[in-house]
Amino acid sequence: MIRRLTIFGVGLIGGSLALALRQAGTCREVVGCSRSEDHLRHAVELGVIDRYSLDPAEAVAGADMVVLAVPLGAMCGVCASIRDHLDPEAAITDVGSAKGSVVDAVREGFGELPHGFVPGHPIAGTERSGVAAAFPTLFQGRRVILTPLETTDISALAKVRTMWEETGAVVESMSVAHHDEVLAATSHLPHLLAFGLVDSLARMGERDEIFRYAAGGFRDFTRIASSDPVMWRDICLSNREAILSVMAHYQEDLSMITEAVSRGDGDRLLEIFQRAKAARDRFSE
């Protein structure tokens, strides 16, 4: 049982976590903190949090679980503001998509890595953002990756694991570096491609006609281009080395497809498409 959960950044992920724990009956009190009082007041009205504070030090007072659900660029500042006010026994975790960047920010903000810090990343979300988009079943059956450090206390790791399991998530562990490599390929690159394609088409001369006749495939592929631009800017900058590596690999394959189209090589295109379909079908199953 979590006595007091403090969430920094009560949006889709932080709000859904609070609602899921409420539904599971495993959290007595949820405190929210952000820079916007209107946003926090709305979170109270929606029943996502019990109360809020605009003062980070006040927000973490008495908390035994702290979740950092703020943009990657804000992590260091939040940590610096609570470093002298966090209960020594409190577990602290995050939901950031680039773990190397988060670890560096937490280390800088606290001056060292707290023993209660357990880096984490729920592989869940929608293209919508904000607390109004939060819902309690977001994490059910979804994976949450924890990347414990050498400094991480075993009891804190157990607390954070249990918290996510209470939401219905499947919790796995891996190293920080491996997480960032995997997510660069499976999440960060697809978002870059979606944003880039929509921007490219939007800058074409007949853009209104192009979007008017866009079919279901276009909507499915580009849905994630409706995601929060600020958040994804921060992610791309924070995990740029891994992203650049996977982008270079993709550009080689894209050049291969371009060459096949240019040569009218139907056999080559069919080979690529069949291999891709088989891989996608296996993944869907």
Side-chain angles (χ1 to χ4, degrees), residues 243-260:
I243 290 173
L244 287 172
S245 177
V246 74
M247 282 188 72
H249 179 76
Y250 178 74
Q251 286 174 328
E252 290 179 5
D253 289 343
L254 185 60
S255 296
M256 178 178 61
I257 295 174
T258 301
E259 183 178 358

Side-chain angles (χ1 to χ4, degrees), residues 197-213:
L197 176 60
V198 173
D199 180 61
S200 179
L201 295 180
R203 290 184 288 106
M204 292 178 67
E206 302 296 329
R207 64 180 183 183
D208 291 339
E209 185 176 56
I210 289 172
F211 288 115
R212 184 182 303 121
Y213 294 107

Side-chain angles (χ1 to χ4, degrees), residues 1-2 4-6 17 21 26 64-68 86 89-96 99 114-122 139 143-149 152-173:
M1 171 68 73
I2 297 173
R4 179 173 295 161
L5 167 67
T6 298
L17 173 60
L21 294 175
T26 57
D64 55 330
M65 179 67 72
V66 176
V67 175
L68 305 174
L86 191 65
E89 300 302 315
I92 179 169
T93 188
D94 74 291
V95 300
K99 304 321 308 171
H115 294 300
F117 177 49
V118 185
H121 180 208
F139 308 109
R143 284 180 169 79
V144 171
I145 300 175
L146 302 182
T147 60
L149 310 169
T152 299
D153 182 76
I154 295 177
S155 63
L157 176 59
K159 289 178 184 178
V160 173
R161 175 179 288 274
T162 298
M163 178 186 73
W164 283 113
E165 289 175 342
E166 292 290 349
T167 71
V170 178
V171 182
E172 300 181 1
S173 296

Side-chain angles (χ1 to χ4, degrees), residues 32-235:
C33 185
S34 77
R35 293 175 295 181
S36 170
E37 186 166 13
D38 288 342
H39 171 81
L40 291 169
R41 189 180 297 115
H42 188 40
V44 172
E45 292 170 353
L46 292 173
V48 176
I49 60 176
D50 296 298
R51 60 183 179 87
Y52 65 84
S53 175
L54 298 177
D55 179 3
E58 181 179 83
V60 298
D64 55 330
M65 179 67 72
V66 176
V67 175
L68 305 174
V70 297
L72 295 176
M75 289 281 183
C76 180
V78 171
C79 290
S81 68
I82 65 174
R83 62 184 294 178
D84 297 322
H85 308 279
L86 191 65
D87 189 313
E89 300 302 315
I92 179 169
T93 188
D94 74 291
V95 300
S97 184
K99 304 321 308 171
S101 170
V102 171
V103 171
D104 289 343
V106 171
R107 182 188 290 109
E108 181 179 351
F110 279 96
E112 61 181 358
L113 288 171
H115 294 300
F117 177 49
V118 185
H121 180 208
I123 312 299
T126 72
E127 71 276 15
R128 298 186 298 161
S129 59
V131 67
F135 59 100
T137 58
L138 175 62
F139 308 109
Q140 286 188 2
R142 307 300 291 272
R143 284 180 169 79
V144 171
I145 300 175
L146 302 182
T147 60
L149 310 169
E150 292 182 359
T151 55
T152 299
D153 182 76
I154 295 177
S155 63
L157 176 59
K159 289 178 184 178
V160 173
R161 175 179 288 274
T162 298
M163 178 186 73
W164 283 113
E165 289 175 342
E166 292 290 349
T167 71
V170 178
V171 182
E172 300 181 1
S173 296
M174 63 177 63
S175 71
V176 168
H178 187 50
H179 168 278
D180 287 355
E181 291 170 357
V182 170
L183 269 294
T186 58
S187 177
H188 305 167
L189 177 62
H191 277 81
L192 277 170
L193 297 180
F195 279 122
L197 176 60
V198 173
D199 180 61
S200 179
L201 295 180
R203 290 184 288 106
M204 292 178 67
E206 302 296 329
R207 64 180 183 183
D208 291 339
E209 185 176 56
I210 289 172
F211 288 115
R212 184 182 303 121
Y213 294 107
F218 177 83
R219 289 193 298 271
D220 291 343
F221 180 77
T222 60
R223 174 185 60 81
I224 53 178
S226 292
S227 301
D228 184 352
V230 174
M231 179 183 75
W232 281 99
R233 176 204 62 190
D234 288 353
I235 290 172

